[in-house]
Amino acid sequence: MLSKGYGAAVHGVDARIITIEVNIVQGTKFWLSGLPDSAVKESEHRIESALKHFDYRMPRQKVVVNMAPADIKKEGSAYDLPIALGVLNASNQINAPELEKYLIMGEMALDGNLRPIKGVLPIAIEARNNGFKGFILPSENANEAAIVNDLDVIGVGNLIEAIEFLEGKRHIEPLEYDTRDKFFTHLNDYEADFSNVQGQENIKRALEIAAAGGHNVIMIGPPGAGKTMLAKRLPSILPPLSLYEALETTKIHSVAGKLTANGDLVTKRPFRSPHHTVSDVALVGGGGNPQPGEISLAHNGVLFLDELPEFKRTVLEVMRQPLEERKVTISRAKVSVDFPSNFMLIASMNPCPCGYYNHPEKDCVCGSGQVQRYLNKISGPLLDRIDLHVEVTPVSFDQMTENRKAEDSTAIRERVIKARAIQTARLKDHGLHSNAMMPSQMVKDICQINEAGRVLLKTAMERLGLSARAYDRILKVSRTIADLAGSEEIKIEHLAEAIQYRSLDRDGWAG
Protein backbone atom coordinates (compact mmCIF):
# COMPACT_ATOMS: atom_id res chain seq x y z
CA MET A 1 0.00 0.00 0.00
CA LEU A 2 1.20 3.53 -0.81
CA SER A 3 0.82 6.22 1.85
CA LYS A 4 1.36 9.92 1.28
CA GLY A 5 2.03 12.65 3.85
CA TYR A 6 3.57 16.08 3.96
CA GLY A 7 6.44 17.81 5.76
CA ALA A 8 8.54 20.88 4.95
CA ALA A 9 12.13 21.97 4.40
CA VAL A 10 13.38 25.39 5.46
CA HIS A 11 15.64 27.29 3.06
CA GLY A 12 16.72 30.72 4.22
CA VAL A 13 13.72 32.21 6.03
CA ASP A 14 11.13 30.44 3.87
CA ALA A 15 9.82 26.89 3.74
CA ARG A 16 9.02 24.46 0.93
CA ILE A 17 6.50 21.64 1.11
CA ILE A 18 8.01 18.15 1.02
CA THR A 19 5.84 15.21 -0.05
CA ILE A 20 6.68 12.08 1.95
CA GLU A 21 5.62 8.91 0.11
CA VAL A 22 5.90 5.53 1.80
CA ASN A 23 5.51 2.25 -0.09
CA ILE A 24 5.93 -1.28 1.25
CA VAL A 25 7.03 -3.92 -1.26
CA GLN A 26 8.74 -7.29 -1.24
CA GLY A 27 12.21 -7.24 0.27
CA THR A 28 13.88 -6.60 3.62
CA LYS A 29 15.45 -3.14 3.52
CA PHE A 30 14.47 0.34 4.75
CA TRP A 31 15.26 2.71 1.90
CA LEU A 32 15.21 6.52 1.92
CA SER A 33 15.40 8.50 -1.31
CA GLY A 34 15.25 12.23 -2.11
CA LEU A 35 18.65 13.56 -0.96
CA PRO A 36 18.32 12.85 2.80
CA ASP A 37 21.27 13.78 5.02
CA SER A 38 22.70 11.58 7.78
CA ALA A 39 20.20 12.78 10.40
CA VAL A 40 17.27 11.83 8.14
CA LYS A 41 18.79 8.43 7.31
CA GLU A 42 19.25 7.68 11.01
CA SER A 43 15.50 8.18 11.53
CA GLU A 44 15.02 4.45 10.76
CA HIS A 45 16.45 3.49 14.17
CA ARG A 46 14.53 6.17 16.10
CA ILE A 47 11.29 5.22 14.37
CA GLU A 48 11.73 1.48 14.95
CA SER A 49 12.41 2.00 18.66
CA ALA A 50 9.43 4.39 19.05
CA LEU A 51 7.05 2.00 17.26
CA LYS A 52 8.06 -0.89 19.52
CA HIS A 53 7.54 1.31 22.59
CA PHE A 54 3.86 1.73 21.65
CA ASP A 55 3.40 -1.92 20.56
CA TYR A 56 3.58 -1.26 16.83
CA ARG A 57 6.13 -2.89 14.54
CA MET A 58 8.46 -1.94 11.73
CA PRO A 59 7.37 -3.96 8.66
CA ARG A 60 9.69 -6.85 7.81
CA GLN A 61 9.40 -6.01 4.13
CA LYS A 62 11.13 -3.41 1.99
CA VAL A 63 10.03 0.04 3.13
CA VAL A 64 10.66 2.72 0.49
CA VAL A 65 10.38 6.33 1.64
CA ASN A 66 10.59 8.99 -1.08
CA MET A 67 10.89 12.65 -0.16
CA ALA A 68 9.94 14.90 -3.06
CA PRO A 69 11.06 17.14 -4.72
CA ALA A 70 14.03 14.77 -4.87
CA ASP A 71 16.51 17.48 -5.90
CA ILE A 72 16.18 19.42 -2.61
CA LYS A 73 18.44 18.26 0.20
CA LYS A 74 16.49 17.17 3.31
CA GLU A 75 18.27 17.92 6.56
CA GLY A 76 17.63 17.36 10.26
CA SER A 77 15.60 15.02 12.41
CA ALA A 78 12.23 16.80 12.10
CA TYR A 79 11.00 14.25 9.52
CA ASP A 80 10.82 11.43 12.11
CA LEU A 81 7.12 11.90 12.89
CA PRO A 82 5.74 12.13 9.32
CA ILE A 83 7.85 9.15 8.20
CA ALA A 84 6.70 7.05 11.19
CA LEU A 85 3.04 7.87 10.53
CA GLY A 86 3.53 7.10 6.82
CA VAL A 87 5.06 3.69 7.64
CA LEU A 88 2.17 2.82 9.99
CA ASN A 89 -0.45 3.95 7.46
CA ALA A 90 1.20 2.10 4.54
CA SER A 91 1.42 -1.14 6.58
CA ASN A 92 -2.27 -0.85 7.62
CA GLN A 93 -1.38 -0.68 11.33
CA ILE A 94 -3.38 2.54 11.59
CA ASN A 95 -6.24 4.02 9.61
CA ALA A 96 -5.54 7.72 9.08
CA PRO A 97 -7.83 8.97 6.28
CA GLU A 98 -6.93 12.62 6.97
CA LEU A 99 -3.16 12.12 6.94
CA GLU A 100 -2.80 14.11 3.70
CA LYS A 101 -4.76 17.08 5.06
CA TYR A 102 -2.13 17.89 7.69
CA LEU A 103 1.45 19.05 7.46
CA ILE A 104 3.41 17.04 10.04
CA MET A 105 6.85 17.64 11.58
CA GLY A 106 8.62 16.47 14.72
CA GLU A 107 11.76 14.80 16.03
CA MET A 108 11.18 11.59 18.00
CA ALA A 109 13.06 10.22 20.98
CA LEU A 110 13.54 6.44 21.27
CA ASP A 111 10.48 6.23 23.52
CA GLY A 112 8.29 8.09 21.00
CA ASN A 113 8.21 11.41 22.82
CA LEU A 114 8.58 14.47 20.59
CA ARG A 115 11.33 17.05 20.80
CA PRO A 116 11.02 20.68 19.59
CA ILE A 117 12.22 21.63 16.12
CA LYS A 118 13.51 24.82 14.44
CA GLY A 119 11.88 26.95 11.73
CA VAL A 120 8.28 26.32 12.81
CA LEU A 121 6.91 29.77 11.90
CA PRO A 122 7.92 29.76 8.20
CA ILE A 123 6.67 26.16 7.95
CA ALA A 124 3.29 27.15 9.44
CA ILE A 125 3.02 30.09 7.02
CA GLU A 126 3.74 27.78 4.07
CA ALA A 127 1.20 25.23 5.37
CA ARG A 128 -1.52 27.89 5.44
CA ASN A 129 -0.54 29.21 1.99
CA ASN A 130 -0.86 25.69 0.57
CA GLY A 131 -4.34 25.13 2.01
CA PHE A 132 -3.54 22.48 4.64
CA LYS A 133 -6.23 21.90 7.25
CA GLY A 134 -3.70 21.94 10.07
CA PHE A 135 -0.17 21.47 11.32
CA ILE A 136 0.71 18.59 13.67
CA LEU A 137 3.91 19.24 15.59
CA PRO A 138 5.57 18.95 19.04
CA SER A 139 3.63 20.66 21.84
CA GLU A 140 6.63 22.82 22.72
CA ASN A 141 6.46 24.47 19.28
CA ALA A 142 2.68 24.92 19.21
CA ASN A 143 2.68 28.54 20.46
CA GLU A 144 5.02 29.58 17.70
CA ALA A 145 2.95 27.93 14.96
CA ALA A 146 -0.29 29.37 16.40
CA ILE A 147 0.95 32.87 15.51
CA VAL A 148 -0.31 31.98 12.01
CA ASN A 149 -4.09 32.32 11.78
CA ASP A 150 -6.51 30.21 9.67
CA LEU A 151 -4.54 27.06 10.47
CA ASP A 152 -5.41 24.33 13.01
CA VAL A 153 -2.30 23.93 15.17
CA ILE A 154 -2.30 20.51 16.85
CA GLY A 155 0.38 20.15 19.50
CA VAL A 156 1.20 16.55 20.45
CA GLY A 157 3.59 15.24 23.09
CA ASN A 158 4.38 11.83 21.56
CA LEU A 159 3.73 9.48 18.67
CA ILE A 160 0.63 7.81 20.16
CA GLU A 161 -1.14 11.17 20.58
CA ALA A 162 -0.59 11.93 16.89
CA ILE A 163 -1.85 8.45 15.92
CA GLU A 164 -4.99 8.68 18.06
CA PHE A 165 -5.74 12.18 16.76
CA LEU A 166 -5.49 11.09 13.12
CA GLU A 167 -7.60 7.98 13.79
CA GLY A 168 -10.27 10.12 15.50
CA LYS A 169 -9.79 8.42 18.87
CA ARG A 170 -8.48 11.55 20.63
CA HIS A 171 -9.79 15.11 20.43
CA ILE A 172 -7.10 17.80 20.56
CA GLU A 173 -8.35 21.36 20.53
CA PRO A 174 -6.42 23.53 18.04
CA LEU A 175 -4.31 26.07 19.87
CA GLU A 176 -5.55 29.65 19.72
CA TYR A 177 -3.11 32.56 19.84
CA ASP A 178 -4.30 36.16 19.83
CA THR A 179 -1.41 37.58 17.85
CA ARG A 180 -2.49 41.22 18.05
CA ASP A 181 -3.20 41.07 21.78
CA LYS A 182 0.22 39.52 22.54
CA PHE A 183 1.89 41.95 20.16
CA PHE A 184 0.47 45.12 21.68
CA THR A 185 0.73 43.89 25.29
CA HIS A 186 4.53 43.57 25.22
CA LEU A 187 5.35 46.21 22.62
CA ASN A 188 7.11 48.67 24.94
CA ASP A 189 8.56 46.36 27.59
CA TYR A 190 12.15 47.61 27.78
CA GLU A 191 14.18 47.15 30.95
CA ALA A 192 16.84 49.77 30.15
CA ASP A 193 15.81 53.44 29.98
CA PHE A 194 17.62 56.69 29.20
CA SER A 195 16.36 58.16 32.47
CA ASN A 196 19.07 56.06 34.19
CA VAL A 197 21.85 57.87 32.30
CA GLN A 198 23.21 60.99 34.01
CA GLY A 199 24.88 63.59 31.79
CA GLN A 200 26.05 62.66 28.29
CA GLU A 201 23.44 64.96 26.72
CA ASN A 202 25.42 65.29 23.49
CA ILE A 203 25.58 61.50 23.10
CA LYS A 204 21.86 61.16 23.77
CA ARG A 205 21.25 63.78 21.11
CA ALA A 206 23.37 61.84 18.60
CA LEU A 207 21.55 58.58 19.40
CA GLU A 208 18.20 60.35 19.04
CA ILE A 209 19.24 61.52 15.56
CA ALA A 210 20.44 57.99 14.74
CA ALA A 211 17.14 56.47 15.89
CA ALA A 212 15.08 59.05 14.00
CA GLY A 213 16.83 58.41 10.68
CA GLY A 214 18.00 54.80 11.07
CA HIS A 215 21.64 55.92 10.93
CA ASN A 216 24.75 53.96 11.94
CA VAL A 217 26.81 55.30 14.87
CA ILE A 218 30.31 54.84 16.24
CA MET A 219 31.15 56.08 19.75
CA ILE A 220 34.77 56.86 20.60
CA GLY A 221 35.77 57.35 24.21
CA PRO A 222 37.81 56.12 27.19
CA PRO A 223 36.90 53.05 29.26
CA GLY A 224 33.98 53.58 31.65
CA ALA A 225 32.59 56.63 29.83
CA GLY A 226 29.23 54.93 29.28
CA LYS A 227 29.41 53.75 25.66
CA THR A 228 27.95 50.28 26.27
CA MET A 229 25.29 51.59 28.67
CA LEU A 230 24.10 54.12 26.08
CA ALA A 231 24.10 51.57 23.25
CA LYS A 232 21.97 49.11 25.24
CA ARG A 233 19.32 51.79 25.70
CA LEU A 234 19.03 52.63 22.01
CA PRO A 235 16.27 50.08 21.24
CA SER A 236 14.06 51.79 23.86
CA ILE A 237 13.87 54.98 21.74
CA LEU A 238 13.38 53.30 18.36
CA PRO A 239 9.86 53.31 16.87
CA PRO A 240 7.85 50.22 17.92
CA LEU A 241 7.89 47.24 15.57
CA SER A 242 4.99 46.99 13.18
CA LEU A 243 3.15 43.65 13.15
CA TYR A 244 4.73 42.85 9.77
CA GLU A 245 8.22 43.61 11.11
CA ALA A 246 7.52 41.49 14.19
CA LEU A 247 6.52 38.49 12.06
CA GLU A 248 9.55 38.97 9.80
CA THR A 249 11.89 39.14 12.80
CA THR A 250 10.25 36.13 14.46
CA LYS A 251 10.74 34.06 11.27
CA ILE A 252 14.49 34.70 11.32
CA HIS A 253 14.81 33.85 15.02
CA SER A 254 12.67 30.73 14.46
CA VAL A 255 14.95 29.46 11.67
CA ALA A 256 18.00 30.07 13.89
CA GLY A 257 16.35 28.36 16.89
CA LYS A 258 16.68 31.52 18.98
CA LEU A 259 13.08 31.98 20.10
CA THR A 260 12.14 31.76 23.78
CA ALA A 261 10.91 28.44 25.17
CA ASN A 262 7.25 29.46 24.82
CA GLY A 263 7.79 30.52 21.19
CA ASP A 264 6.08 33.90 21.49
CA LEU A 265 6.11 36.56 18.81
CA VAL A 266 9.15 38.87 18.92
CA THR A 267 7.63 42.20 19.96
CA LYS A 268 10.76 44.23 20.82
CA ARG A 269 13.47 45.32 18.45
CA PRO A 270 16.40 42.88 18.61
CA PHE A 271 19.66 43.93 20.23
CA ARG A 272 22.57 41.70 19.25
CA SER A 273 26.03 42.14 20.74
CA PRO A 274 28.47 39.48 19.43
CA HIS A 275 31.87 39.09 21.09
CA HIS A 276 34.88 40.40 19.16
CA THR A 277 36.10 36.83 18.58
CA VAL A 278 33.08 36.17 16.32
CA SER A 279 33.86 34.48 12.97
CA ASP A 280 32.85 35.67 9.50
CA VAL A 281 30.20 32.94 9.18
CA ALA A 282 28.75 33.59 12.65
CA LEU A 283 28.40 37.29 11.82
CA VAL A 284 26.94 37.22 8.30
CA GLY A 285 25.53 33.68 8.23
CA GLY A 286 26.44 30.56 6.30
CA GLY A 287 27.29 26.91 6.82
CA GLY A 288 26.51 23.84 4.70
CA ASN A 289 22.80 24.46 5.19
CA PRO A 290 22.96 28.30 5.33
CA GLN A 291 21.79 29.69 8.66
CA PRO A 292 21.24 33.37 9.56
CA GLY A 293 24.13 35.16 11.27
CA GLU A 294 24.20 37.98 13.80
CA ILE A 295 23.47 40.67 11.20
CA SER A 296 20.24 38.88 10.25
CA LEU A 297 19.29 38.20 13.88
CA ALA A 298 19.62 41.98 14.34
CA HIS A 299 17.20 42.62 11.44
CA ASN A 300 14.79 45.46 12.33
CA GLY A 301 16.90 46.15 15.41
CA VAL A 302 20.42 47.00 16.57
CA LEU A 303 23.78 45.29 16.05
CA PHE A 304 26.23 46.47 18.70
CA LEU A 305 29.94 45.87 18.11
CA ASP A 306 31.83 46.73 21.29
CA GLU A 307 35.57 47.41 21.01
CA LEU A 308 35.38 47.58 17.22
CA PRO A 309 39.15 47.54 16.49
CA GLU A 310 39.45 44.20 18.33
CA PHE A 311 37.28 42.47 15.69
CA LYS A 312 39.19 40.71 12.92
CA ARG A 313 39.48 42.94 9.88
CA THR A 314 38.02 40.25 7.60
CA VAL A 315 34.96 40.03 9.84
CA LEU A 316 34.35 43.77 9.62
CA GLU A 317 34.88 43.92 5.87
CA VAL A 318 32.19 41.32 5.13
CA MET A 319 29.65 43.72 6.62
CA ARG A 320 30.23 46.38 3.98
CA GLN A 321 27.82 44.98 1.39
CA PRO A 322 25.00 44.10 3.84
CA LEU A 323 25.20 47.62 5.28
CA GLU A 324 24.47 49.04 1.83
CA GLU A 325 22.01 46.48 0.46
CA ARG A 326 20.27 45.60 3.76
CA LYS A 327 20.36 41.91 2.88
CA VAL A 328 23.05 39.25 2.66
CA THR A 329 23.26 36.55 0.00
CA ILE A 330 24.86 33.25 1.04
CA SER A 331 25.91 31.26 -2.04
CA ARG A 332 26.90 27.62 -2.08
CA ALA A 333 27.53 25.19 -4.96
CA LYS A 334 23.90 24.02 -5.10
CA VAL A 335 21.99 26.72 -3.24
CA SER A 336 21.82 30.48 -2.87
CA VAL A 337 19.91 31.97 0.07
CA ASP A 338 19.00 35.57 0.87
CA PHE A 339 18.72 36.67 4.50
CA PRO A 340 17.38 40.13 5.38
CA SER A 341 19.79 42.33 7.37
CA ASN A 342 18.22 45.75 7.78
CA PHE A 343 19.86 46.74 11.06
CA MET A 344 21.33 49.80 12.76
CA LEU A 345 25.03 49.40 13.42
CA ILE A 346 26.19 50.83 16.74
CA ALA A 347 29.91 50.48 17.36
CA SER A 348 32.12 51.61 20.22
CA MET A 349 35.86 51.87 20.58
CA ASN A 350 38.64 53.32 22.70
CA PRO A 351 40.58 56.12 21.00
CA CYS A 352 43.87 54.24 21.42
CA PRO A 353 45.25 50.99 22.89
CA CYS A 354 45.52 52.44 26.42
CA GLY A 355 42.16 54.17 26.06
CA TYR A 356 43.11 57.70 27.15
CA TYR A 357 44.08 59.55 23.97
CA ASN A 358 42.38 63.00 24.02
CA HIS A 359 41.24 62.37 27.62
CA PRO A 360 40.68 65.66 29.51
CA GLU A 361 42.41 64.46 32.72
CA LYS A 362 44.51 61.33 32.12
CA ASP A 363 47.60 61.12 29.94
CA CYS A 364 47.86 58.73 27.02
CA VAL A 365 50.84 56.37 27.35
CA CYS A 366 50.73 55.07 23.78
CA GLY A 367 53.86 55.51 21.72
CA SER A 368 54.21 57.53 18.53
CA GLY A 369 52.13 56.06 15.73
CA GLN A 370 50.27 53.60 17.96
CA VAL A 371 47.08 55.65 17.89
CA GLN A 372 47.09 55.77 14.10
CA ARG A 373 47.79 52.03 13.80
CA TYR A 374 44.97 51.34 16.22
CA LEU A 375 42.51 53.47 14.22
CA ASN A 376 43.73 51.95 10.95
CA LYS A 377 42.32 48.60 12.06
CA ILE A 378 39.00 50.02 10.87
CA SER A 379 39.04 50.58 7.12
CA GLY A 380 38.02 53.84 5.48
CA PRO A 381 35.20 52.21 3.44
CA LEU A 382 33.63 50.85 6.63
CA LEU A 383 33.92 54.22 8.42
CA ASP A 384 32.30 55.88 5.40
CA ARG A 385 29.24 53.69 5.96
CA ILE A 386 28.90 54.93 9.55
CA ASP A 387 26.93 58.18 9.54
CA LEU A 388 27.67 59.57 12.99
CA HIS A 389 31.05 59.58 14.76
CA VAL A 390 30.56 60.66 18.35
CA GLU A 391 33.18 61.45 20.99
CA VAL A 392 32.17 60.23 24.45
CA THR A 393 33.79 62.04 27.36
CA PRO A 394 33.74 60.84 30.99
CA VAL A 395 30.89 62.00 33.20
CA SER A 396 31.97 64.34 36.00
CA PHE A 397 31.34 63.55 39.67
CA ASP A 398 28.81 66.41 39.92
CA GLN A 399 26.80 65.05 37.01
CA MET A 400 26.81 61.52 38.44
CA THR A 401 25.56 62.64 41.85
CA GLU A 402 22.97 65.27 40.86
CA ASN A 403 19.39 64.47 41.83
CA ARG A 404 17.77 65.80 38.66
CA LYS A 405 16.18 62.94 36.74
CA ALA A 406 17.23 62.68 33.12
CA GLU A 407 14.74 62.62 30.26
CA ASP A 408 13.23 59.16 29.88
CA SER A 409 13.11 57.01 26.76
CA THR A 410 9.37 57.52 26.23
CA ALA A 411 9.77 61.27 25.68
CA ILE A 412 12.68 60.78 23.28
CA ARG A 413 10.82 58.03 21.44
CA GLU A 414 7.84 60.30 20.80
CA ARG A 415 10.09 62.76 18.96
CA VAL A 416 11.68 59.91 17.03
CA ILE A 417 8.27 58.54 15.99
CA LYS A 418 7.19 61.99 14.73
CA ALA A 419 10.38 62.33 12.66
CA ARG A 420 9.92 58.80 11.24
CA ALA A 421 6.31 59.63 10.33
CA ILE A 422 7.56 62.61 8.28
CA GLN A 423 10.09 60.38 6.52
CA THR A 424 7.56 57.61 5.85
CA ALA A 425 5.17 60.10 4.25
CA ARG A 426 7.98 61.53 2.13
CA LEU A 427 9.38 58.17 1.01
CA LYS A 428 6.23 56.01 0.81
CA ASP A 429 6.21 56.03 -3.01
CA HIS A 430 9.69 54.48 -2.97
CA GLY A 431 8.92 51.77 -0.41
CA LEU A 432 11.36 53.24 2.14
CA HIS A 433 10.73 54.36 5.72
CA SER A 434 13.90 56.13 6.92
CA ASN A 435 16.41 58.66 5.62
CA ALA A 436 19.30 56.23 5.99
CA MET A 437 17.74 53.97 3.33
CA MET A 438 17.78 56.62 0.59
CA PRO A 439 20.01 55.84 -2.43
CA SER A 440 22.38 58.50 -3.77
CA GLN A 441 20.08 59.81 -6.52
CA MET A 442 17.24 60.29 -4.07
CA VAL A 443 19.56 62.16 -1.68
CA LYS A 444 20.21 64.76 -4.40
CA ASP A 445 16.49 65.23 -4.98
CA ILE A 446 15.31 65.28 -1.36
CA CYS A 447 18.23 66.76 0.58
CA GLN A 448 18.43 70.15 -1.14
CA ILE A 449 20.60 72.80 0.56
CA ASN A 450 20.89 76.54 -0.04
CA GLU A 451 23.98 78.40 -1.25
CA ALA A 452 25.29 79.10 2.27
CA GLY A 453 24.95 75.41 3.12
CA ARG A 454 26.73 74.45 -0.10
CA VAL A 455 29.69 76.70 0.77
CA LEU A 456 29.85 75.25 4.31
CA LEU A 457 29.74 71.67 3.04
CA LYS A 458 32.38 72.34 0.37
CA THR A 459 34.73 73.80 2.98
CA ALA A 460 34.18 70.84 5.30
CA MET A 461 34.79 68.30 2.53
CA GLU A 462 38.02 69.98 1.46
CA ARG A 463 39.37 70.26 5.01
CA LEU A 464 38.38 66.77 6.10
CA GLY A 465 39.05 65.06 2.78
CA LEU A 466 35.61 63.44 2.77
CA SER A 467 34.53 60.85 0.19
CA ALA A 468 31.42 61.05 -1.99
CA ARG A 469 29.77 58.50 0.29
CA ALA A 470 30.52 60.67 3.35
CA TYR A 471 28.98 63.61 1.47
CA ASP A 472 25.74 61.64 1.06
CA ARG A 473 25.81 60.61 4.72
CA ILE A 474 26.12 64.22 5.90
CA LEU A 475 23.14 65.23 3.77
CA LYS A 476 21.05 62.30 5.08
CA VAL A 477 21.89 63.15 8.70
CA SER A 478 21.12 66.85 8.16
CA ARG A 479 17.76 65.85 6.64
CA THR A 480 17.02 63.80 9.78
CA ILE A 481 17.99 66.72 12.05
CA ALA A 482 15.64 68.96 10.07
CA ASP A 483 12.85 66.36 10.44
CA LEU A 484 13.37 66.26 14.22
CA ALA A 485 13.08 70.08 14.22
CA GLY A 486 9.94 69.91 12.08
CA SER A 487 11.63 71.93 9.33
CA GLU A 488 10.81 71.39 5.66
CA GLU A 489 14.17 72.84 4.61
CA ILE A 490 17.67 71.82 5.61
CA LYS A 491 19.00 74.92 7.35
CA ILE A 492 22.65 75.77 7.82
CA GLU A 493 22.53 74.86 11.54
CA HIS A 494 21.21 71.38 10.64
CA LEU A 495 24.06 70.93 8.18
CA ALA A 496 26.64 72.20 10.69
CA GLU A 497 25.47 69.72 13.32
CA ALA A 498 25.65 66.86 10.80
CA ILE A 499 29.21 67.83 9.82
CA GLN A 500 30.41 67.76 13.42
CA TYR A 501 29.43 64.08 13.58
CA ARG A 502 32.44 63.14 11.42
CA SER A 503 35.04 63.02 14.24
CA LEU A 504 37.20 60.29 12.72
CA ASP A 505 37.62 62.27 9.50
CA ARG A 506 39.38 65.08 11.34
CA ASP A 507 43.12 65.57 11.43
CA GLY A 508 42.98 65.57 15.24
CA TRP A 509 42.50 61.81 15.14
CA ALA A 510 45.54 61.17 12.99
CA GLY A 511 47.72 60.41 16.02
Side-chain angles (χ1 to χ4, degrees):
M1 180 180 172
L2 177 67
S3 175
K4 186 184 289 186
Y6 295 93
V10 177
H11 289 274
V13 291
D14 297 309
R16 290 188 63 176
I17 300 300
I18 302 297
T19 304
I20 299 172
E21 302 166 318
V22 181
N23 196 17
I24 298 177
V25 294
Q26 284 189 342
T28 57
K29 191 176 181 182
F30 184 93
W31 185 261
L32 270 167
S33 64
L35 285 182
D37 73 346
S38 297
V40 181
K41 290 176 183 175
E42 290 165 356
S43 65
E44 175 189 359
H45 308 293
R46 293 190 294 272
I47 290 168
E48 184 171 12
S49 177
L51 295 184
K52 285 182 179 178
H53 186 80
F54 292 113
D55 296 326
Y56 292 99
R57 58 179 174 79
M58 182 68 85
R60 294 303 169 211
Q61 296 163 278
K62 185 176 181 179
V63 178
V64 180
V65 180
N66 181 49
M67 307 174 79
D71 60 341
I72 296 175
K73 191 169 184 179
K74 320 303 183 304
E75 297 182 313
S77 52
Y79 298 103
D80 291 358
L81 183 59
I83 292 173
L85 292 170
V87 168
L88 290 173
N89 198 43
S91 59
N92 291 317
Q93 295 182 69
I94 65 170
N95 178 27
E98 291 199 326
L99 182 65
E100 294 184 32
K101 294 182 181 180
Y102 289 89
L103 192 145
I104 305 169
M105 295 293 281
E107 177 188 343
M108 286 198 304
L110 296 181
D111 61 359
N113 287 323
L114 296 182
R115 296 190 172 113
I117 60 174
K118 296 194 295 186
V120 166
L121 183 56
I123 293 172
I125 292 170
E126 191 67 13
R128 182 188 62 185
N129 293 344
N130 282 269
F132 283 94
K133 180 179 179 181
F135 183 10
I136 299 174
L137 76 168
S139 300
E140 292 179 55
N141 294 121
N143 269 350
E144 183 184 338
I147 293 171
V148 180
N149 53 19
D150 300 326
L151 181 74
D152 288 351
V153 175
I154 309 299
V156 292
N158 51 45
L159 174 63
I160 197 67
E161 288 182 20
I163 292 170
E164 291 176 352
F165 172 78
L166 288 168
E167 288 189 316
K169 297 176 181 177
R170 177 191 291 259
H171 175 73
I172 300 176
E173 195 68 32
L175 187 66
E176 296 289 335
Y177 186 102
D178 192 335
T179 305
R180 291 188 176 274
D181 179 61
K182 291 274 187 183
F183 175 66
F184 290 110
T185 300
H186 302 290
L187 198 58
N188 299 317
D189 291 351
Y190 288 99
E191 295 177 7
D193 194 282
F194 270 97
S195 61
N196 307 129
V197 182
Q198 296 288 10
Q200 305 290 24
E201 300 304 326
N202 60 324
I203 318 302
K204 292 178 187 176
R205 167 67 177 171
L207 293 180
E208 181 180 336
I209 293 168
H215 302 291
N216 302 321
V217 184
I218 183 167
M219 295 182 285
I220 314 108
K227 301 185 294 294
T228 303
M229 180 175 67
L230 286 158
K232 286 182 176 178
R233 282 157 175 75
L234 181 63
S236 69
I237 64 170
L238 289 171
L241 284 170
S242 66
L243 189 54
Y244 172 78
E245 287 177 324
L247 284 166
E248 191 179 37
T249 306
T250 307
K251 272 176 70 174
I252 298 169
H253 286 246
S254 171
V255 169
K258 301 290 185 182
L259 288 182
T260 55
N262 55 12
D264 279 341
L265 189 69
V266 174
T267 57
K268 294 184 289 188
R269 292 195 179 272
F271 180 86
R272 304 294 299 182
S273 180
H275 192 259
H276 64 256
T277 56
V278 68
S279 67
D280 306 20
V281 171
L283 190 69
V284 299
N289 176 30
Q291 291 290 300
E294 290 290 340
I295 63 172
S296 295
L297 292 170
H299 181 63
N300 292 323
V302 175
L303 178 69
F304 177 49
L305 302 184
D306 199 6
E307 304 299 340
L308 190 66
E310 302 302 330
F311 284 79
K312 288 184 292 185
R313 193 180 181 99
T314 54
V315 171
L316 296 179
E317 294 309 300
V318 295
M319 284 201 308
R320 282 159 53 177
Q321 186 180 3
L323 278 169
E324 289 289 319
E325 299 185 0
R326 302 187 183 274
K327 68 174 183 178
V328 59
T329 302
I330 309 296
S331 296
R332 296 292 178 265
K334 294 184 179 180
V335 66
S336 181
V337 175
D338 286 339
F339 289 115
S341 60
N342 182 16
F343 60 91
M344 277 181 64
L345 173 64
I346 307 298
S348 74
M349 59 179 284
N350 294 333
C352 66
C354 79
Y356 296 108
Y357 180 72
N358 274 356
H359 193 282
E361 297 171 1
K362 296 186 179 182
D363 293 329
C364 174
V365 297
C366 298
S368 177
Q370 273 189 289
V371 176
Q372 185 61 47
R373 285 195 296 273
Y374 187 74
L375 294 175
N376 282 345
K377 290 183 178 181
I378 307 165
S379 69
L382 180 61
L383 273 180
D384 267 356
R385 288 168 169 82
I386 299 177
D387 306 346
L388 292 92
H389 307 164
V390 190
E391 292 181 56
V392 183
T393 54
V395 180
S396 68
F397 179 80
D398 290 340
Q399 286 177 315
M400 282 191 290
T401 55
E402 68 179 355
N403 292 324
R404 181 180 64 85
K405 191 171 183 179
E407 187 177 31
D408 62 17
S409 293
T410 304
I412 301 172
R413 181 194 272 197
E414 287 176 4
R415 296 196 295 270
V416 168
I417 291 171
K418 285 180 182 178
R420 281 286 181 104
I422 294 169
Q423 294 165 45
T424 301
R426 183 192 299 129
L427 303 171
K428 63 181 179 181
D429 294 338
H430 305 281
L432 307 177
H433 57 260
S434 71
N435 288 333
M437 300 174 75
M438 291 190 292
S440 295
Q441 186 55 49
M442 200 180 298
V443 172
K444 293 177 183 176
D445 297 334
I446 290 174
C447 303
Q448 299 283 344
I449 54 178
N450 57 28
E451 187 58 35
R454 197 171 289 108
V455 171
L456 175 65
L457 189 50
K458 180 183 178 183
T459 304
M461 289 202 64
E462 289 174 352
R463 287 187 179 177
L464 301 176
L466 300 178
S467 67
R469 186 180 284 113
Y471 169 80
D472 279 353
R473 302 278 168 175
I474 289 172
L475 288 178
K476 289 179 186 180
V477 172
S478 60
R479 180 65 265 173
T480 300
I481 295 169
D483 291 339
L484 278 168
S487 171
E488 292 186 9
E489 298 178 358
I490 298 176
K491 298 178 181 177
I492 195 164
E493 58 266 29
H494 304 147
L495 198 57
E497 186 177 0
I499 291 169
Q500 76 163 351
Y501 294 124
R502 302 298 303 183
S503 297
L504 291 178
D505 294 320
R506 293 206 312 264
D507 290 339
W509 283 102

